[in-house]
Amino acid sequence: MATARMMSAASNTSASCLPHKRPFFSLSQKVPSFNSLCFNNTTKRVSKRLFSCKSIYNPDVRIKEEGHPETLDYRVYFLDSSGKKVSPWHGIPLHLGDGAFNYVVEIPKESSAKMEVATDEQFTPIKQDTKKGKLRYYPYNINWNYGLLPQTWEDPSLANAEVEGAFGDNDPVDVVEIGERRGKIGEILKIKPLAALAMIDEGELDWKIVAISLDDPRASLVNDIDDVEKHFPGTLTAIRDWFRDYKIPDGKPANKFGLGNKAANKVFY
């Protein structure tokens, strides 16, 4: 997955997690792929992996809300078992083993408040995004749970030759979770990736990983892009169209997509 890099694996000890946009550590490999993230489990590709898919640990965290929802002061912090604040971006592990990953819900499905991890604040809490001092909302509800893969980063210094030479957007990698249950802000779900869309937002590459919660009743039925088309017909097109068009009501141009405007399978690299 070009321009999307993994951070170093989190340990069981909490970190101070001072505010910064860059990760604690990024891979030296120029273009890490979905395969580098162990999205593909075929044995013939094992030699190419930089990370094994061993389970690190399951995060024992809870959330603490400060302020009132839909206000400028509202924050959702993550606390470990000792009550110390940890970062949902840096302090939650990525790998769970067997092709499963942790995923942090920022925006629950059927809501419009533009919630996101505050990458420039200490402990990177979830807050509502702002523009010119005002809270931001999508022009209509998002139809899927939306959030991030912890310990990942869209590298802004590297151009992806396969996606129009676009550079990463300097944020964690985004996930669109298509399960039937509405998630909660700050909820950590176990997911498996199914496909990806290479969105280009104002010239920046902003991957959208399509995944499903392992707790979803249909999770066992879907393992790749063809299964999504079979059991969730029209979903990939709907996701692409939603992210393509959501800025148009604000007078901005539509977002673009690389890779022929189509979703890529999880083994793409």
Side-chain angles (χ1 to χ4, degrees), residues 67-131:
H68 296 285
E70 300 188 54
T71 67
L72 294 173
D73 296 328
Y74 181 65
R75 297 291 186 276
V76 177
Y77 285 97
F78 290 68
L79 308 180
D80 66 15
S81 57
S82 68
K84 294 181 179 180
K85 290 180 179 178
V86 296
S87 166
W89 184 15
H90 305 295
I92 304 298
L94 175 63
H95 296 299
L96 286 169
D98 297 326
F101 297 82
N102 276 322
Y103 147 71
V104 181
V105 179
E106 294 171 297
I107 305 174
K109 66 189 299 185
E110 307 307 331
S111 65
S112 63
K114 194 175 186 303
M115 309 300 295
E116 62 179 25
V117 162
T119 59
D120 58 352
E121 294 185 14
Q122 188 175 26
F123 302 110
T124 63
I126 295 175
K127 69 171 186 178
Q128 189 167 349
D129 191 23
T130 60
K131 184 176 182 179

Side-chain angles (χ1 to χ4, degrees), residues 4-8 23 25-33 36-37 50-51 151 153 155 158:
R5 293 190 171 194
M6 288 180 55
M7 301 176 193
S8 60
F25 175 80
S26 63
L27 298 183
S28 59
Q29 183 190 22
K30 185 176 180 181
V31 190
S33 66
S36 299
L37 294 176
L50 295 180
F51 289 82
Q151 312 248 357
W153 177 53
D155 191 340
L158 296 178

Side-chain angles (χ1 to χ4, degrees), residues 24 34 53 61 76 78 81 91 101 105 119 133 139 141 143 149 161 163 182 195 213 219 245 259 261 266:
F24 294 138
F34 289 125
C53 277
V61 297
V76 177
F78 290 68
S81 57
F101 297 82
V105 179
T119 59
N141 285 349
N143 306 124
L149 284 175
V163 187
R182 186 176 189 265
S213 169
D245 299 339
L259 307 179
N261 215 34
K266 62 183 181 180

Side-chain angles (χ1 to χ4, degrees), residues 167-236:
F167 292 82
D169 69 355
N170 204 27
D171 284 324
V173 175
D174 296 324
V175 172
V176 183
E177 195 275 315
I178 62 175
E180 65 179 31
R181 188 179 71 83
R182 186 176 189 265
K184 300 177 181 178
I185 297 175
E187 186 174 11
I188 300 172
L189 299 180
K190 300 176 182 179
I191 61 164
K192 59 179 173 180
L194 305 169
L197 287 159
M199 190 176 91
I200 302 173
D201 182 355
E202 298 182 11
E204 294 182 332
L205 182 57
D206 187 5
W207 286 100
K208 305 299 180 187
I209 307 301
V210 180
I212 190 167
S213 169
L214 296 184
D215 293 329
D216 190 84
R218 288 186 282 180
S220 63
L221 301 177
V222 288
N223 293 292
D224 59 28
I225 192 170
D226 292 332
D227 293 334
V228 177
E229 294 291 1
K230 179 179 179 181
H231 297 283
F232 295 82
T235 295
L236 293 173

